[in-house]
Amino acid sequence: MITEIIAIYAITDDLLKAIGHQEDRRVQLSDAEVITSALVAARFFGGNHQIAQDYLKEHGLMPQMLSKSRFNRRLHRLFLPLLDLFDGLGMVLKSVNSSTEYLLDSFPVPICDNIRIPQVRLVRCEDYRGYIASKKRYFYGIRVQLLATTDGIPVEFAFLPGEANDVRGLNALPLNLPAHTQIYADAAYTNYQAEDDLEQTDTIRLQVARKRNSKRPDSPALAYIKQTTRHFIETVFSGITAQFPKSIHAVTMDGFLLKVSAFIVAFTLKAAFID
């Protein structure tokens, strides 16, 4: 565990330097250490920052650990650098990816059960009430759009309200990919205009699973390839959500999104460099 924590810190520090991140030289706890603490909390302690802070301090990994309030303030100021760090990480992973195939899908992250919606203080908007078709139930929270390699390593993600459909999520991702890339997605991403635009402007082929009444039906062979290829994304989602606690504790919506981001980044580092 300690070896993995050291690896997370080393990668985080290198990535911050690579994206040109600047910090105040007077700080006792570096920005890389603050972000590492959040990633360690996501990786080992269900997102509990206080337990992660205590562990890092007690084991001498970060003896200058901040108080809970100061740590939270520093971490919230580093939310955007954390996202920039992931963007830089994604670019590296894309550049070394030997495959031209990627997987696209979304998964829900509930803020609370439906019965507790009236008590929610993070956000009050019907836009966050979504539907999980596989479970045939509604949820109140966000939907994470995620693009991953066929090896199961996330390279792009975006947050949308729970009610947002996947076509809208397709427009939220930068899809900064090499030419002649193929993206496999399920039928929820059906948008013929988006498919044509991607292929004409970015030479990216969106391989969407076709519905029975599709105007662009697939041959049986292509339909089988799409079905078997895209199903691996569910394994990626399982790996990310397995780190989640029963309920993600946050006081603000930014804090909630920050914790979800930390879970995704921690999973990516583990899948790409540590496993």
Side-chain angles (χ1 to χ4, degrees):
M1 180 174 175
I2 291 180
T3 302
E4 186 170 339
I5 292 173
I6 294 172
I8 291 173
Y9 169 75
I11 297 169
T12 300
D13 189 49
D14 287 344
L15 285 171
L16 286 176
K17 292 176 181 176
I19 63 176
H21 176 71
Q22 300 291 328
E23 67 179 8
D24 192 331
R25 295 183 179 181
R26 297 171 296 176
V27 297
Q28 295 181 340
L29 195 71
S30 69
D31 289 347
E33 290 175 312
V34 174
I35 292 177
T36 297
S37 301
L39 297 180
V40 169
R43 176 72 182 88
F44 299 108
F45 303 108
N48 191 310
H49 293 161
Q50 186 63 63
I51 296 177
Q53 287 177 261
D54 293 342
Y55 180 90
L56 293 170
K57 184 174 182 178
E58 290 171 2
H59 287 75
L61 297 173
M62 297 182 189
Q64 302 296 325
M65 182 57 69
L66 304 173
S67 65
K68 181 178 179 179
S69 60
R70 289 181 61 195
F71 176 84
N72 286 334
R73 288 196 296 271
R74 282 280 303 279
L75 182 59
H76 276 71
R77 288 200 296 268
L78 291 172
F79 187 14
L80 290 181
L82 174 63
L83 297 180
D84 291 340
L85 181 150
F86 180 83
D87 288 341
L89 175 61
M91 294 299 294
V92 172
L93 295 173
K94 293 172 194 174
S95 66
V96 300
N97 183 27
S98 58
S99 174
T100 58
E101 297 178 341
Y102 289 84
L103 309 176
L104 174 65
D105 208 343
S106 67
F107 66 95
V109 182
I111 294 174
C112 69
D113 291 330
N114 280 340
I115 196 172
R116 297 185 181 276
I117 291 176
Q119 285 77 44
V120 171
R121 296 182 180 180
L122 297 187
V123 65
R124 292 181 181 274
C125 181
E126 281 299 306
D127 291 348
Y128 288 86
R129 190 193 296 270
Y131 183 71
I132 307 175
S134 61
K135 296 182 179 180
K136 297 182 179 179
R137 61 165 294 182
Y138 288 90
F139 76 100
Y140 193 72
I142 63 170
R143 192 173 291 278
V144 180
Q145 294 288 335
L146 190 138
L147 182 73
T149 67
T150 52
D151 294 329
I153 302 175
V155 292
E156 291 183 8
F157 71 87
F159 297 130
L160 290 172
E163 76 157 6
N165 59 37
D166 286 336
V167 172
R168 179 178 166 188
L170 181 63
N171 297 324
L173 292 169
L175 297 181
N176 189 2
L177 299 169
H180 310 297
T181 293
Q182 299 188 79
I183 302 175
Y184 289 87
D186 63 25
Y189 289 89
T190 299
N191 185 313
Y192 301 134
Q193 185 62 53
E195 292 180 36
D196 294 340
D197 290 344
L198 279 173
E199 190 162 7
Q200 292 173 9
T201 60
D202 301 319
T203 61
I204 295 175
R205 188 72 182 270
L206 189 60
Q207 299 284 16
V208 177
R210 299 303 184 193
K211 299 178 181 178
R212 293 182 180 180
N213 61 347
S214 173
K215 297 179 181 179
R216 301 181 183 181
D218 289 329
S219 65
L222 181 57
Y224 175 78
I225 292 173
K226 288 182 178 181
Q227 181 181 15
T228 54
T229 302
R230 69 181 178 81
H231 277 176
F232 186 67
I233 193 70
E234 300 296 336
T235 305
V236 180
F237 294 161
S238 298
I240 294 173
T241 56
Q243 304 173 103
F244 289 5
K246 185 176 181 180
S247 176
I248 298 177
H249 174 72
V251 178
T252 65
M253 193 59 185
D254 281 348
F256 182 83
L257 297 178
L258 193 156
K259 282 196 172 184
V260 177
S261 300
F263 283 119
I264 296 173
V265 176
F267 175 84
T268 304
L269 291 177
K270 179 178 180 294
F273 301 107
I274 299 173
D275 275 352

